[in-house]
Amino acid sequence: MIDGLASPPSCPNVSSARYPFNLAEGWTAVKVASGLSSPRGVIKDGAGRLLIVEEGVGISQHNVDINGCITSSRELVSMPSLNHGIYLGIDGHTLYASSATAVFSWAYDSRSGNTSGSPVTVVSGMAADGHTTRTLIIPPHHPDLLVVSHGSNSNLDYAATDSKTARAIIKVFNTSTVPNGGYNFAADGWNAGYGLRNEVGLVFDGNDMLWGVENSADQLTRNIDGGSTDIHTDNPAEELNFLGDIAVPNDAWYGYPTCFTVWAPSAAIFISTQPNSTQELGVGEQFVLAPNATFDDNTCAGISIPPRLSFQAHTAPLDAKFDISYTSLFVTLHGSWDRQPPVGYKLVAVPFTRSEEGIYTPVAQANSASGYVDVFYPLDEGKCSSSSCVRPVGLVFDAAGRLYMTSDTSGEVFMLSR
């Protein structure tokens, strides 16, 4: 129940969920839309409408009634190249969305729900290959700054060690003075952290500090003294990273493509700096794939920024949203493709707290493997695939505290409440 309103058991003219799911105690979930074309990023405008990026289509707009159900839908922007990122300016008058290579803006009227004029290129020059989702976010305390994430161009993009490649990085651009033709992603703006393999989900906490959730690498092996051990089933961890105040350039390195984070301690991932060591590195500590005399696990500990919390390997976090009290960070785990049995395919919540100094931080310690709880999850996670389970992607809260969640492969949207 939200603000005295009971959640409806279903929405009119909406089919039942394609795949069964479980919910944490006290939660309800109602399917509000189906038949969308790979729905990804989702936002709401000042009138409470949902705006959703549909891959291969553009942006769709959905009117919502008092119960949270969708009453009507239309195509707002026809642009098939849009694939994930979407955000509305703090004043509600500018709509931003991204393709693999560019960020565009439109004038937007939240009263009528209409865009006007042709799209304006805000940022261009991003890579067309590799990880192509370009997440967008604007800090409430700096409404003229646009944050754009850019993933790596491959599983192990070694050139991204140099931030000037402008891959595996987050950058910031001042939208009050956009040059003709837009900013060049690599040459312009400033860094908000790099060495971030694919930081798809971005969110600001109650102090307007930026956090990100990262998809880490696949198919890794640990190589020591000529021996190679396959560690990919349970390592490396996905990450929750603290990125800080984006108004100040952040040139810190977060480890990729050299330093990775332990999810499951393994005999193959031992402290390589100690002769004949058998002591395993713990959850949240970072390691290299092939330690040598010039760069080893200890080097990572000295120069790389480790995650504040870890998620199970290959669960693929794609979005993150705080509740109104900043006591829970909700994260979509899209689900694995390269692990048996599969993992993810769910929505989780990371409990947060505010310290006496006023700093927001996860309740769990950085070395915890149990720092989050399932909220919306499959009946049998180990049997999931893209054709048998919901694959959560985008999240947005409405003014009533209801949480909307897209599922790309099933073409659905769900409304969660408690």
Side-chain angles (χ1 to χ4, degrees), residues 116-283:
S116 59
S118 300
V120 175
T121 300
V122 180
V123 181
S124 64
M126 295 183 285
D129 55 1
H131 296 105
T132 57
T133 51
R134 314 297 179 218
T135 303
L136 312 175
I137 194 168
I138 297 171
H141 65 313
H142 285 289
D144 56 344
L145 300 183
L146 177 67
V147 182
V148 185
S149 69
H150 192 304
S152 63
N153 73 351
S154 61
N155 187 36
L156 297 174
D157 183 0
Y158 288 109
T161 303
D162 181 358
S163 63
K164 292 183 176 61
T165 64
R167 297 193 300 269
I169 197 169
I170 299 171
K171 298 197 73 174
V172 185
F173 302 90
N174 190 327
T175 57
S176 65
T177 55
V178 177
N180 290 333
Y183 288 107
N184 178 276
F185 186 81
D188 300 324
W190 63 88
N191 297 343
Y194 77 106
L196 300 158
R197 180 178 178 271
N198 194 22
E199 207 84 0
V200 185
L202 299 175
V203 65
F204 287 101
D205 67 20
N207 293 330
D208 296 321
M209 298 292 105
L210 185 64
W211 295 77
V213 290
E214 180 174 347
N215 289 238
S216 195
D218 303 304
Q219 309 294 345
L220 295 189
T221 59
R222 172 81 159 178
N223 307 293
I224 297 180
D225 297 331
S228 179
T229 303
D230 184 343
I231 60 170
H232 91 276
T233 299
D234 292 313
N235 287 292
E238 316 285 45
E239 300 182 359
L240 172 62
N241 291 305
F242 176 74
L243 302 164
D245 185 359
I246 59 89
V248 179
N250 175 9
D251 294 315
W253 181 57
Y254 288 78
Y256 179 81
T258 308
C259 299
F260 298 93
T261 301
V262 174
W263 170 254
S266 163
I269 310 176
F270 56 84
I271 299 177
S272 61
T273 56
Q274 298 178 6
N276 303 314
S277 173
T278 59
Q279 182 179 344
E280 299 171 358
L281 291 175
V283 176

Side-chain angles (χ1 to χ4, degrees), residues 43-407:
I43 59 172
K44 65 176 183 64
D45 70 8
R49 305 178 190 91
L50 298 177
L51 296 122
I52 300 174
V53 172
E54 296 188 51
E55 286 189 285
V57 175
I59 301 173
S60 57
Q61 184 186 78
H62 309 267
N63 290 302
V64 177
D65 66 18
I66 192 171
N67 294 316
C69 294
I70 291 173
T71 57
S72 62
S73 302
R74 64 165 175 158
E75 183 180 280
L76 179 66
V77 173
S78 176
M79 186 179 283
S81 63
L82 300 181
N83 66 351
H84 183 80
I86 185 169
Y87 214 77
L88 197 61
I90 302 302
D91 63 4
H93 299 320
T94 306
L95 175 64
Y96 298 90
S98 63
S99 68
T101 59
V103 178
F104 305 97
S105 70
W106 295 259
Y108 186 75
D109 185 341
S110 287
R111 291 172 298 178
S112 67
N114 295 326
T115 59
S116 59
S118 300
V120 175
T121 300
V122 180
V123 181
S124 64
M126 295 183 285
D129 55 1
H131 296 105
T132 57
T133 51
R134 314 297 179 218
T135 303
L136 312 175
I137 194 168
I138 297 171
H141 65 313
H142 285 289
D144 56 344
L145 300 183
L146 177 67
V147 182
V148 185
S149 69
H150 192 304
S152 63
N153 73 351
S154 61
N155 187 36
L156 297 174
D157 183 0
Y158 288 109
T161 303
D162 181 358
S163 63
K164 292 183 176 61
T165 64
R167 297 193 300 269
I169 197 169
I170 299 171
K171 298 197 73 174
V172 185
F173 302 90
N174 190 327
T175 57
S176 65
T177 55
V178 177
N180 290 333
Y183 288 107
N184 178 276
F185 186 81
D188 300 324
W190 63 88
N191 297 343
Y194 77 106
L196 300 158
R197 180 178 178 271
N198 194 22
E199 207 84 0
V200 185
L202 299 175
V203 65
F204 287 101
D205 67 20
N207 293 330
D208 296 321
M209 298 292 105
L210 185 64
W211 295 77
V213 290
E214 180 174 347
N215 289 238
S216 195
D218 303 304
Q219 309 294 345
L220 295 189
T221 59
R222 172 81 159 178
N223 307 293
I224 297 180
D225 297 331
S228 179
T229 303
D230 184 343
I231 60 170
H232 91 276
T233 299
D234 292 313
N235 287 292
E238 316 285 45
E239 300 182 359
L240 172 62
N241 291 305
F242 176 74
L243 302 164
D245 185 359
I246 59 89
V248 179
N250 175 9
D251 294 315
W253 181 57
Y254 288 78
Y256 179 81
T258 308
C259 299
F260 298 93
T261 301
V262 174
W263 170 254
S266 163
I269 310 176
F270 56 84
I271 299 177
S272 61
T273 56
Q274 298 178 6
N276 303 314
S277 173
T278 59
Q279 182 179 344
E280 299 171 358
L281 291 175
V283 176
E285 294 186 282
Q286 293 191 312
F287 65 96
V288 297
L289 300 184
N292 56 52
T294 59
F295 205 114
D296 55 27
D297 306 330
N298 196 50
T299 313
C300 289
I303 66 175
S304 171
I305 306 296
R308 179 56 188 82
L309 195 69
S310 299
F311 300 101
Q312 185 172 8
H314 311 304
T315 49
L318 291 189
D319 202 0
K321 292 291 186 294
F322 279 106
D323 62 5
I324 193 170
S325 64
Y326 298 98
T327 55
S328 290
L329 176 65
F330 294 90
V331 179
T332 53
L333 301 181
H334 194 229
S336 62
W337 62 269
D338 63 340
R339 183 190 191 278
Q340 289 298 329
V343 290
Y345 301 86
K346 57 189 174 182
L347 173 71
V348 301
V350 179
F352 259 68
T353 187
R354 192 181 188 194
S355 70
E356 292 182 358
E357 295 77 21
I359 298 171
Y360 291 92
T361 185
V363 171
Q365 296 299 307
N367 63 354
S368 174
S370 56
Y372 54 96
V373 295
D374 292 350
V375 174
F376 178 113
Y377 55 100
L379 300 188
D380 190 344
E381 185 177 344
K383 294 182 179 179
C384 277
S385 71
S386 60
S387 60
S388 63
C389 293
V390 171
R391 298 200 80 184
V393 183
L395 295 172
V396 68
F397 278 101
D398 71 2
R402 296 175 290 222
L403 180 60
Y404 288 88
M405 179 180 77
T406 62
S407 169

